[in-house]
Amino acid sequence: MRTIRNIFLAPSALVMLLLVAAPMAIVLYYSLLTRGVYGGVEWPLTLENWRRLADPLYLHILARTAALAAAATALCLVLGFPLALFISRAGPRKNLYLYLVILPFWTSFLVRTYAWMFLLRETGVINAALMGLGLIREPLGMLYTPGAVLVGLVYGHLPFMVLPLYAALERMDRSLLEAAADLGARPWQAALRVLVPLAAPGIRAGSVLVFIPCLGAYLTPDLLGGSKTVMAGNLIQNQFTQARDWPFGSAAALALMAIILTLLVAWVRREKEPLL
Amino acid sequence: MRRMLALYAAGVYLFLHLPLAILAASASTPRGLRCGRVFR
């Protein structure tokens, strides 16, 4: 029995070894090498790249990344929870509303981000509308700010929050809310004490699905944040392209991965149940 | 309560679809159409 199990597991284990473990080992090896004069990598092995991560400049970028990812997750939850609740109670139109959530995903992520550039730039639609209405005299500088990055992150990841929330709310027994009301709970009390705890698995899954990609986001901060709002993903990309410092880029990439894994493991241990 | 939820959902749908709708509308302007000819 065990032999059969091992035979069936072997292909996936091989894929994991070749496509996950081996590249990770290469990245780890590179992170211990020294940057060459012309941008290559060379001996000797050193821990200097890992030490450089403790530089206040990089710690500031990591802190900003974590703050923006947390804010994007919280905003996705605030926007997504009522939407998921609405869809779960929509009756026969449920599928149409779900379809409308997924519809923007039919276009490229790049096009969706460019759409926001089109809206937020100084000659963009929002500034033109505000100036047309006489609310402002000079265009607001909305593009290339942390706010623009936050909007882009929320816009790009909102469906990842809505879909798990919908799955959790759809399964919920609605008579429990009626029971709470019968027992004297006000609507907000029933929402806080019945609805939110029952939707907790969806909230957890949605938060993880939004927070992790936001931590590694590269395109959104690059296009909407410019050089002012650098996130960890941009830092890593810059090391591999402009700075040609592959060892430091590898160390930064592994550090980001280690932070995400630590957060996930801590979360799973605290919750004592499967994450997704 | 249900009406408020529907209104809120409509706002979120607007947030999801308006940027692409505006982008699509701008592609239909004379200038957008001129740019579109480049791809033919």
Side-chain angles (χ1 to χ4, degrees):
Chain A
M1 191 67 188
R2 202 169 173 176
T3 317
I4 293 172
R5 198 185 69 172
N6 287 342
I7 289 170
F8 276 103
L9 280 176
S12 54
L14 189 69
V15 168
M16 292 293 279
L17 191 75
L18 286 176
L19 300 181
V20 179
M24 282 297 126
I26 294 170
V27 174
L28 180 65
Y29 176 63
Y30 266 56
S31 75
L32 297 172
L33 288 171
T34 309
R35 182 192 174 210
V37 182
Y38 301 108
V41 286
E42 54 191 38
W43 286 74
L45 293 178
T46 173
L47 284 174
E48 184 53 35
N49 301 308
W50 288 90
R51 270 192 219 109
R52 267 176 68 196
L53 284 172
D55 187 297
L57 173 72
Y58 302 125
L59 289 180
H60 181 69
I61 292 174
L62 274 179
R64 182 196 290 143
T65 305
L68 274 171
T73 309
L75 267 175
C76 279
L77 188 59
V78 168
L79 289 175
F81 195 93
L83 180 62
L85 188 63
F86 169 76
I87 297 171
S88 70
R89 292 177 175 187
R93 289 189 179 167
K94 225 177 261 186
N95 287 340
L96 171 71
Y97 293 136
L98 265 182
Y99 175 77
L100 283 175
V101 172
I102 303 162
L103 194 64
F105 268 55
W106 285 21
T107 54
S108 142
F109 188 71
L110 191 66
V111 172
R112 280 181 278 147
T113 311
Y114 269 114
W116 276 104
M117 287 178 79
F118 189 76
L119 285 175
L120 296 174
R121 65 186 178 186
E122 289 201 352
T123 54
V125 177
I126 294 176
N127 270 321
L130 290 174
M131 286 170 80
L133 289 169
L135 295 173
I136 52 170
R137 287 187 178 179
E138 286 181 5
L140 300 171
M142 289 180 283
L143 196 58
Y144 308 129
T145 59
V149 176
L150 187 60
V151 168
L153 289 175
V154 171
Y155 182 72
H157 296 94
L158 187 58
F160 292 119
M161 181 64 87
V162 173
L163 297 178
L165 278 174
Y166 165 75
L169 290 169
E170 171 71 33
R171 281 197 303 261
M172 200 185 76
D173 184 358
R174 284 177 65 181
S175 62
L176 292 171
L177 280 175
E178 288 163 14
D182 287 346
L183 291 168
R186 289 164 188 256
W188 63 270
Q189 281 177 320
L192 275 181
R193 293 190 177 183
V194 180
L195 198 62
V196 172
L198 286 173
I203 294 173
R204 262 199 309 272
S207 300
V208 169
L209 287 176
V210 173
F211 185 71
I212 291 175
C214 283
L215 270 186
Y218 142 71
L219 191 69
T220 309
D222 198 45
L223 293 177
L224 298 177
S227 57
K228 288 180 192 165
T229 315
V230 175
M231 285 177 72
N234 308 97
L235 172 73
I236 294 164
Q237 187 253 352
N238 282 341
Q239 298 310 312
F240 281 97
T241 54
Q242 288 157 15
R244 295 183 66 81
D245 192 348
W246 286 36
F248 182 62
S250 303
L254 285 178
L256 185 64
M257 208 176 122
I259 291 169
I260 292 170
L261 276 176
T262 310
L263 286 175
L264 277 178
V265 170
W267 199 346
V268 169
R269 285 202 175 165
R270 202 173 67 92
E271 298 295 333
K272 289 177 185 165
E273 60 180 273
L275 194 63
L276 298 173
Chain B
M1 180 73 181
R2 186 172 285 185
R3 192 168 290 176
M4 270 179 67
L5 203 61
L7 209 63
Y8 193 93
V12 180
Y13 278 124
L14 205 64
F15 171 72
L16 276 175
H17 294 280
L18 199 62
L20 281 174
I22 290 174
L23 200 68
S26 76
S28 308
T29 59
R31 194 177 161 195
L33 289 172
R34 268 202 307 278
C35 295
R37 282 194 202 109
V38 174
F39 296 104
R40 283 189 203 156

